[in-house]
Amino acid sequence: MDHVRTTCSLCEASCGAVMTVEDGRILKVAADREDALSGGFICAKGAAIPDLEADPDRVRTPLLRKNGELMPVSWEEAYAFIDDRLSAILAEHGPQATSVYVGNAAAHNLNIITYFEDLAKALGTTNLFTAASLDQNPRQVMSGLLYGDEFALYVPDIDRSQLVWIMGANPAESNGSMMVAPGFLGRMQKMHERGGRTVVFDPRHTMTASRASEYVPITPSGDAAFLAGVAHTLLKLGPPKTTALSLVDDVATIEEWLAPFTPEAVAEACGIDAETIVRLATELRETEAAAVYGRLGTTTQLFSSLTCWLMDMVNIFAGNLDVIGGSMFPKPLLAQPNTIGPSGVGAGFTVGKWKSRVSGAPEVVGQMPMACMAEEMDTPGEGQIRALFCLAGNPITASPDTQRMAAAIDGLDLLVCLDIYQGETASKADVVLPSPPRLARANYDAYLYRFTVRNYGRYTQQYRPLETHERSDRETLLRLMAIAQGHGWDADIDALEDATLAATVEAMTLVPESAIEGRDPAEIMTALSTLEPMERRMDFGLRIGPFGDGFGSRKGISLQTLKESPQGVDCGPLVSRLPESLRTTSGRIEAVHDIIGAELNRLTRWLGETRPRFTLIGRRQLRSNNSWFHNLKRMQHPTRECTAQINPLDAAKLGVTSGDLLRVSTPKAAIDIPAEVSDTLSPGVVSIPHGWGHEMLDGKLNVASANPGVNVNRIVNYDDVDPLTWNGRLNGMPVDIAKLETN
Ligand SMILES: Nc1nc2c(c(=O)[nH]1)N[C@H]1C(S)=C(S)[C@@H](COP(=O)(O)OP(=O)(O)OC[C@H]3O[C@@H](n4cnc5c(=O)[nH]c(N)nc54)[C@H](O)[C@@H]3O)O[C@H]1N2
Ligand SMILES: Nc1nc2c(c(=O)[nH]1)N[C@H]1C(S)=C(S)[C@@H](COP(=O)(O)OP(=O)(O)OC[C@H]3O[C@@H](n4cnc5c(=O)[nH]c(N)nc54)[C@H](O)[C@@H]3O)O[C@H]1N2
Ligand code: SF4
Ligand SMILES: [Mo]
């Protein structure tokens, strides 16, 4: 029996875990008490890894559609089929007829996160879509515009804070997002014990709210109004002198913009009275170590980009940005754009470098927004998408307008899914390629460590070699790239990759102030040559990173350091990074943009509008993971039912009790779903979780199909995307509700 260190990597908490392994089977998964970040925490999902790995419904070999059915085949046969079909599409319609979609599970998979952009490049397409445009793009775009780097993502320095505002986030159940802070409730508890406070702003009294010092119900999408009132108040209080504030361009314009947003002017619209707004703003200003943190409820609503911008303004005007215990920019161990090259200045950031074919949607962070994916597939004409490579995602269930997305995907000439299950999307594929089991993968949560509450990293080495029927995701993606480039699936992928790495190394030796500026690229390649191909990339990124040894030019870490410390390498608490971390062209915080002025005008108009009778919001569930994790019996739980929660007052008016069927509709469509009467909801708000609707699986995943739930995205549309980012609006839609009369 072995005890094997791993990182759970199922969600963004990235908890250290220890697996008990016997005869190649995982018997048990427990918390790793020695992990410097998670310190002995895991949740029910982490503990269910043995069930996940043993699930008989998992895809373990490539599947190819034959006579309408997905049948197990060899990798060679699957690749040969893809090569034939893709070559024909490329020859007839060109590279823009191909596309890539990357889902959430890619953020937890080192290989997929490392190579997905290369796959789109190899295909030669700009049709790269990711779940980020149903999620955090407004945050990333604001970070890009203000700080010059889309990954300049600050987090609450929770372990040293005395006050944290949590807006539109429920880390008690999501386990934290764009904030790697495992065991969040424990961290919050410690904060309370040292006299600190937490305040939750949410239309629903969530599990996080029930553990917070204060809960402030807020009208859905009311955050921008509220934060504008707070920012206005802070400016009146006289902002403190901080480095962050001294770096902000054109504070006068911002003051002018915010002048009309008095607490009195915004109170009714956000549902928080003026006195409370002033009290909260004053507390924020007077507490030295305070942070404002916002997540999905702030980035997928009516004013997503504006809300993110206002959060920046509030953090800055309260004196909280880049100070210990405030909102701080992490310094990841792997080199990032804002840790290499000349510090404090850079190339800046823009949106809309290219536009989509049908609606002219802008490019955002190098990708096309999901809001235009279905129309790019189902609108005929030159450039119509005919092939999709879907990596670790389930767009049919995750994306608004499920019906259109499903029909568009049905109409493709080629759908290849890299997945571990035949979910709603993969079950429609021509080819499904499986990721290897956990014990046969190495992992490093490279994506997540960009927003971790300490400067930390944990590398998990591969426990056992791949079996003959298994392939690493790296190999799969490189073979798909080789096919796309016409080299054939059996090309020498290591040689192809080495050529790319050599070019990256050479480029870095030319970057001023890089850790290897002026060095001989051949010397660096030789230093990397003893490692496995994937490890070469990791080692390179770590050694030129802020804590790296610069290939012998200074004392520091390398991949070897991480290998010797499987419980994680902790490079200490967050440090102040302004102005060094800026990569704007001006070297300042560029906060004034026309779009913000326009959005504030839209907000002003909204303040005077009549509110809908019912507003729909989402809800994450502890034992779920978006559209998956529903196939494990052990994860079923009374708190994980797919219900529409409504307030008792609304229920009484509608004559509804828990269990009655409700018809919830938008002008687009209606769904019928059981009601759950709950006083956690503000009146007029209805909450439905996403990720359900497994009737589409036709019984394929046994447990999930037996308890299918209803897909809320059937009634969610793209009618009003965020104007700047085209991010999906998944919270705050007006809906109608009626009791469904049954005979
Ligand atoms: N209405 C509504 N819609 C939403 C949301 C909402 O709040 N409300 N949330 C949005 C958000 S934030 C997101 S991130 C998206 C998520 O959108 P998606 O990422 O498209 O959906 P997931 O359900 O997370 O799909 C993950 C897929 O990865 C597969 N998978 C799991 N592990 C692995 C692995 O190791 N390897 C491979 N290859 N595949 C794996 C799973 O089987 C599943 O098919 O949904 C969005 N959609
Ligand atoms: N157990 C579990 N964990 C997960 C996931 C999962 O499906 N299950 N999904 C993962 C993913 S992909 C993500 S992106 C993260 C998300 O992580 P979080 O953002 O922490 O999770 P949510 O539960 O979506 O929290 C959003 C909150 O916003 C509230 N809300 C809705 N509209 C508004 C609004 O207008 N204003 C305010 N202030 N609040 C509003 C909702 O009531 C909800 O409580 O979770 C990740 N972790
Ligand atoms: S919180 Fe997330 S990373 Fe930690 S054990 Fe649970 S699912 Fe895994
Ligand atoms: Mo997400």
Side-chain angles (χ1 to χ4, degrees):
M1 199 181 292
D2 280 343
H3 295 286
V4 184
R5 283 205 149 104
T6 187
T7 309
C8 169
S9 301
L10 285 169
C11 83
E12 296 176 47
S14 194
C15 299
V18 179
M19 304 183 283
T20 307
V21 181
E22 193 174 56
D23 298 332
R25 278 179 44 236
I26 306 172
L27 301 182
K28 188 180 145 202
V29 173
D32 185 347
R33 290 183 191 287
E34 286 171 41
D35 183 287
L37 188 68
S38 59
F41 174 84
I42 63 162
C43 79
K45 280 196 288 188
I49 286 175
D51 301 46
L52 176 65
E53 291 299 310
D55 187 347
D57 286 338
R58 259 180 79 153
V59 183
R60 294 180 201 281
T61 63
L63 305 174
L64 174 64
R65 192 168 298 280
K66 291 184 174 173
N67 301 322
E69 286 291 315
L70 282 168
M71 307 296 288
V73 291
S74 67
W75 287 87
E76 291 71 16
E77 190 177 345
Y79 286 137
F81 173 88
I82 296 168
D83 201 344
D84 272 2
R85 197 56 83 82
L86 183 66
S87 303
I89 294 170
L90 285 169
E92 199 176 334
H93 305 287
Q96 279 301 98
T98 68
S99 63
V100 177
Y101 170 75
V102 187
N104 174 270
H108 310 277
N109 179 310
L110 180 61
N111 284 318
I112 304 181
I113 208 70
T114 303
Y115 296 102
F116 76 88
E117 282 168 325
D118 294 347
L119 176 59
K121 272 192 211 130
L123 287 162
T125 182
T126 56
N127 289 317
L128 169 61
F129 302 90
T130 79
S133 56
L134 301 173
D135 189 341
Q136 79 274 12
N137 271 353
R139 178 61 268 162
Q140 286 191 229
V141 166
M142 277 307 140
S143 290
L145 293 176
L146 269 69
Y147 313 110
D149 176 10
E150 76 212 45
F151 285 110
L153 301 166
Y154 55 75
V155 292
D157 185 17
I158 176 95
D159 297 340
R160 294 180 293 180
S161 286
Q162 284 301 98
L163 174 63
V164 177
W165 286 8
I166 301 168
M167 307 191 68
N170 183 13
E173 293 188 83
S174 71
N175 278 304
S177 184
M178 301 200 91
M179 168 187 68
V180 179
F184 185 83
L185 285 179
R187 298 184 125 91
M188 197 161 124
Q189 178 63 31
K190 279 201 184 132
M191 190 177 151
H192 295 163
E193 282 163 12
R194 58 176 186 264
R197 298 183 74 245
T198 44
V199 186
V200 168
F201 299 84
D202 202 300
R204 182 170 157 254
H205 190 265
T206 58
M207 192 192 282
T208 310
S210 71
R211 303 282 282 271
S213 321
E214 184 175 352
Y215 166 59
V216 181
I218 190 166
T219 307
S221 300
D223 308 74
F226 166 70
L227 289 166
V230 172
H232 172 103
T233 311
L234 290 169
L235 285 167
K236 276 182 90 177
L237 288 171
K241 296 206 178 337
T242 55
T243 310
L245 184 60
S246 72
L247 288 165
V248 177
D249 252 2
D250 199 0
V251 177
T253 299
I254 299 170
E255 274 184 290
E256 202 180 300
W257 276 349
L258 294 173
F261 296 96
T262 60
E264 291 73 21
V266 299
E268 197 182 333
C270 67
I272 304 169
D273 62 64
E275 214 174 286
T276 307
I277 296 176
V278 174
R279 171 179 63 81
L280 289 165
T282 311
E283 265 173 32
L284 200 65
R285 171 74 174 80
E286 286 175 359
T287 308
E288 240 165 59
V292 177
Y293 162 75
R295 252 326 260 129
L296 205 75
T298 62
T299 55
T300 54
Q301 46 126 300
L302 188 56
F303 292 105
S304 302
S305 290
L306 181 62
T307 302
C308 292
W309 181 84
L310 282 160
M311 222 174 282
D312 289 314
M313 294 308 107
V314 166
N315 271 313
I316 292 171
F317 297 148
N320 297 334
L321 187 68
D322 199 44
V323 302
I324 288 173
S327 292
M328 301 192 79
F329 296 104
K331 199 180 242 192
L333 277 52
L334 273 179
Q336 302 292 316
N338 77 11
T339 56
I340 48 180
S343 71
V345 65
F349 176 88
T350 50
V351 168
K353 290 194 266 304
W354 54 86
K355 295 263 181 351
S356 74
R357 176 181 65 107
V358 179
S359 293
E363 161 276 341
V364 175
V365 299
Q367 301 158 17
M368 295 318 293
M370 283 298 286
C372 64
M373 181 162 144
E375 68 182 21
E376 289 296 329
M377 292 177 177
D378 65 17
T379 311
E382 206 187 318
Q384 179 183 4
I385 295 174
R386 291 162 197 273
L388 171 65
F389 291 85
C390 177
L391 315 178
N394 188 5
I396 287 181
T397 305
S399 165
D401 203 343
T402 294
Q403 301 88 314
R404 184 170 183 186
M405 183 62 81
I409 285 180
D410 269 337
L412 293 170
D413 295 337
L414 176 64
L415 172 62
V416 178
C417 290
L418 178 61
D419 210 299
I420 57 169
Y421 278 115
Q422 294 183 59
E424 287 77 17
T425 308
S427 59
K428 287 180 176 286
D430 299 295
V431 182
V432 184
L433 302 172
S435 287
R438 174 173 289 266
L439 291 176
R441 303 182 187 182
N443 202 32
Y444 182 79
D445 280 334
Y447 189 81
L448 309 178
Y449 295 143
R450 289 164 167 155
F451 36 80
T452 299
V453 297
R454 292 180 71 84
N455 294 324
Y456 161 95
R458 177 173 168 124
Y459 184 61
T460 301
Q461 291 193 68
Q462 197 171 320
Y463 170 72
R464 67 155 173 82
L466 292 159
E467 291 180 8
T468 46
H469 64 284
E470 296 166 348
R471 299 289 181 277
S472 71
D473 291 322
R474 169 188 171 271
E475 173 171 346
T476 305
L477 291 170
L478 285 169
R479 294 221 177 278
L480 293 177
M481 285 179 232
I483 292 172
Q485 290 171 316
H487 301 305
W489 66 265
D490 51 356
D492 183 350
I493 52 170
D494 289 344
L496 289 174
E497 192 182 21
D498 266 359
T500 321
L501 183 62
T504 313
V505 170
E506 184 169 358
M508 199 51 66
T509 59
L510 302 174
V511 171
E513 295 178 35
S514 90
I516 53 167
E517 184 189 0
R519 298 271 287 272
D520 176 6
E523 170 215 347
I524 308 290
M525 285 303 282
T526 309
L528 295 170
S529 63
T530 53
L531 296 165
E532 293 289 309
M534 182 64 209
E535 293 194 339
R536 286 180 210 170
R537 282 209 186 204
M538 276 281 299
D539 193 42
F540 181 63
L542 288 166
R543 295 176 79 175
I544 64 163
F547 304 97
D549 71 356
F551 288 88
S553 65
R554 59 192 186 207
K555 237 179 125 208
I557 63 165
S558 65
L559 183 61
Q560 190 55 31
T561 324
L562 268 73
K563 284 183 174 174
E564 284 164 12
S565 250
Q567 74 280 20
V569 170
D570 181 29
C571 293
L574 304 182
V575 290
S576 293
R577 292 201 55 197
L578 288 175
E580 157 270 309
S581 64
L582 292 178
R583 290 296 182 272
T584 48
T585 49
S586 62
R588 298 185 55 79
I589 297 176
E590 296 177 4
V592 174
H593 300 270
D594 291 347
I595 182 81
I596 302 298
E599 283 294 89
L600 286 165
N601 288 337
R602 185 164 70 95
L603 178 63
T604 304
R605 291 196 296 280
W606 184 77
L607 293 180
E609 278 172 21
T610 342
R611 298 290 156 247
R613 195 162 150 237
F614 288 106
T615 309
L616 176 65
I617 62 168
R619 160 168 113 245
R620 268 172 172 70
Q621 298 169 302
L622 195 57
R623 290 171 181 75
S624 177
N625 210 350
N626 299 325
S627 73
W628 63 293
F629 242 75
H630 296 170
N631 205 47
L632 307 178
K633 277 214 173 80
R634 160 172 178 177
M635 288 290 102
Q636 288 178 336
H637 196 266
T639 57
R640 207 202 62 176
E641 293 299 314
C642 182
T643 58
Q645 293 184 336
I646 54 168
N647 178 276
L649 292 172
D650 294 324
K653 275 189 227 156
L654 295 165
V656 165
T657 52
S658 288
D660 287 347
L661 265 192
L662 284 180
R663 174 153 293 177
V664 184
S665 53
T666 56
K668 180 188 162 40
I671 49 172
D672 299 336
I673 179 168
E676 183 183 342
V677 181
S678 165
D679 58 10
T680 58
L681 267 294
S682 300
V685 182
V686 51
S687 161
I688 303 180
H690 72 290
W692 294 91
H694 304 309
E695 75 287 347
M696 287 179 93
L697 297 175
D698 295 331
K700 274 218 183 71
L701 303 182
N702 270 301
V703 181
S705 294
N707 181 20
V710 181
N711 187 351
V712 69
N713 280 325
R714 288 182 177 275
I715 60 168
V716 179
N717 206 349
Y718 282 118
D719 286 345
D720 38 13
V721 287
D722 180 55
L724 174 59
T725 61
W726 282 56
N727 203 68
R729 177 176 171 194
L730 310 168
N731 284 285
M733 289 76 70
V735 287
D736 279 333
I737 300 184
K739 180 175 172 180
L740 196 69
E741 300 301 339
T742 45
N743 302 316

